[in-house]
Amino acid sequence: MGYPENVLAGDEQVVLHRHPHWKRLVGSVLVLLLATFVAALAAAWVDTLSWADNAKLVVSLVIGVLWLLLVGRFTLWPFLTWLTTHFVVTDRRVMFRHGLLTRSGIDIPLARINSVEFSHGVIDRMLRTGTLTIESASQDPLEFYDIPQVERVHSLLYHEVFDTLGTEESGR
């Protein structure tokens, strides 16, 4: 899924577009599997009871609603949040947008970036993800967590910043 073109300047080109790493969704998938397993067990148990059909139906509906609430809150919501979080590098700026109902974001012009760092622990290294820290001239360092292939993104961003600075210096 490409980044929406309507937020880009006329001749601006997307160099990199990433969502957070899939590791953010592991807990959500586990909740989905566990909630489904427990709901299926409970529904099967209710079916074996010698209750009236109306009572079984009501209890089964309660189980279904509880399952839906759990899955909606702990699976669907995190997935939609993940899907609407964007880390974008263009040939002019770094953009970060996030939020489902209330959107927010930040743009950092490449010419204002002073340094780019990355860090990742053992698990993050195995999953090829990490934290990217960007320090710009006008604000405190910004940390972007769970960036997939963080070393590659760091290198790419460094080269984009270097190319932008080289272009500005040669144009003077």
Side-chain angles (χ1 to χ4, degrees):
M1 176 173 133
Y3 196 72
E5 298 293 323
N6 61 350
V7 299
L8 301 177
D11 58 344
E12 189 174 13
Q13 299 294 318
V14 173
V15 177
L16 175 85
H17 174 229
R18 294 275 193 268
H19 292 286
H21 194 269
W22 56 262
K23 82 174 188 175
R24 281 196 186 176
L25 299 174
V26 170
S28 300
V29 171
L30 292 175
V31 167
L32 173 66
L33 294 173
L34 184 62
T36 302
F37 178 73
V38 169
L41 279 178
W45 177 72
V46 167
D47 196 40
T48 64
L49 297 175
S50 59
W51 292 353
D53 288 340
N54 286 345
K56 287 182 181 182
L57 179 62
V58 168
V59 173
S60 294
L61 286 174
V62 168
I63 292 169
V65 168
L66 288 174
W67 178 86
L68 191 60
L69 289 173
L70 278 172
V71 168
R73 170 61 183 94
F74 296 106
T75 299
L76 186 60
W77 187 263
F79 173 73
L80 292 175
T81 301
W82 172 86
L83 191 63
T84 58
T85 300
H86 302 273
F87 180 82
V88 180
V89 177
T90 72
D91 56 354
R92 293 185 185 175
R93 59 188 166 157
V94 174
M95 297 184 290
F96 182 74
R97 303 281 190 274
H98 63 95
L100 188 58
L101 298 176
T102 304
R103 304 256 325 139
S104 61
I106 188 166
D107 292 3
I108 307 168
L110 293 179
R112 305 283 268 165
I113 293 176
N114 290 339
S115 68
V116 182
E117 301 174 23
F118 71 91
S119 62
H120 50 172
V122 175
I123 301 295
D124 283 346
R125 288 178 65 193
M126 289 189 299
L127 295 174
R128 298 177 57 195
T129 184
T131 300
L132 189 70
T133 305
I134 298 175
E135 185 179 330
S136 68
S138 61
Q139 53 195 203
D140 293 333
L142 297 169
E143 291 186 338
F144 302 99
Y145 301 98
D146 298 327
I147 301 295
Q149 298 176 342
V150 70
E151 289 185 55
R152 183 175 171 266
V153 174
H154 170 266
S155 176
L156 177 94
L157 190 52
Y158 176 79
H159 289 295
E160 285 296 320
V161 168
F162 181 75
D163 291 347
T164 299
L165 293 177
T167 303
E168 285 182 358
E169 289 174 4
S170 65
R172 290 184 189 168

